[in-house]
Amino acid sequence: REERKAKRRRSRWGGDEKEKTFIPGMPTVLPTNLSKEQEEAYLVQLQIEEISRKLRTGELGIPLNPEERSPSPEPIYSSDGKRLNTREYRTRKRLEEERHHLIQQMLSLNPDFKPPADYKPPIIRVSD
Amino acid sequence: PGLTMVGGAGPATEVLCLLNMVTPEELRDEDEYEDILEDIKEECNKYGVVRSVEIPRPIEGVDVPGCGKVFVEFNSIIDCQKAQQSLTGRKFNNRVVVTSYFDPDKYHRREF
């Protein structure tokens, strides 16, 4: 226990009180009278908006401090020697997958949901 | 999805519910759960006296009510309001923290 405490990383809280995320049209204070379904749909939508914003602006949330980043996998290079699996590429891919999952969840909650304009479902190859 | 957020937060109480903050997967791990609890207590203590914290953890094969939410009971409504103002919209584990007040009676009956 002591040893674990000593190794403990920084707090999971990001930034300070002034560093807040504002998502247009999506307040982060909820009324107390929402149904379970309304609450779930709202939280899923909030996450979709948040990921979409990251993908659009390129602010992917990659820590500036390399020590806070996760270990990288073995590099993969293209035939002309460019690295393919860069951190940015891997982060974008993970965010796209996360968003796809959330959009599927949203569509099951609300079939009329319109996914963001820049969303493309992953291509599933069907061979006949 | 047709959800209009008019009417604001509703009446303040001394129990703050924090949403979009933890996932059941994170809470399954004992060390991670302890760390999360500590991070939350430490931060909330800056805004007032924390009386109790409840983080419903997942149980295999059971639909645990409130799992994925964090409940913090403060000594007073004022402290709870201060905490809400400071914490809402902040990032925790890279997710945007969403807050709402929670009915203290329900909290004490553990009706999450």
Side-chain angles (χ1 to χ4, degrees), chain B residues 11-88:
Chain B
T13 67
E14 53 266 49
V15 179
L16 190 63
C17 176
L18 302 160
L19 306 101
N20 200 37
M21 198 170 169
V22 292
T23 63
E25 293 73 54
E26 290 162 355
L27 298 174
R28 220 162 262 146
D29 183 87
E30 194 61 41
D31 283 353
E32 203 162 354
Y33 167 78
E34 294 282 339
D35 269 4
I36 288 169
L37 187 63
E38 211 169 309
D39 279 345
I40 292 167
K41 278 188 185 164
E42 205 177 285
E43 191 64 26
C44 287
N45 267 317
K46 293 180 188 169
Y47 309 105
V49 179
V50 174
R51 237 190 238 165
S52 63
V53 179
E54 289 286 346
I55 309 177
R57 294 181 73 182
I59 302 166
E60 199 62 46
V62 181
D63 188 15
V64 178
C67 188
K69 295 182 188 176
V70 173
F71 299 87
V72 185
E73 184 197 15
F74 287 90
N75 228 356
S76 71
I77 293 177
I78 304 271
D79 288 350
C80 189
Q81 283 175 309
K82 270 193 269 174
Q84 178 177 57
Q85 275 166 24
S86 309
L87 300 180
T88 203

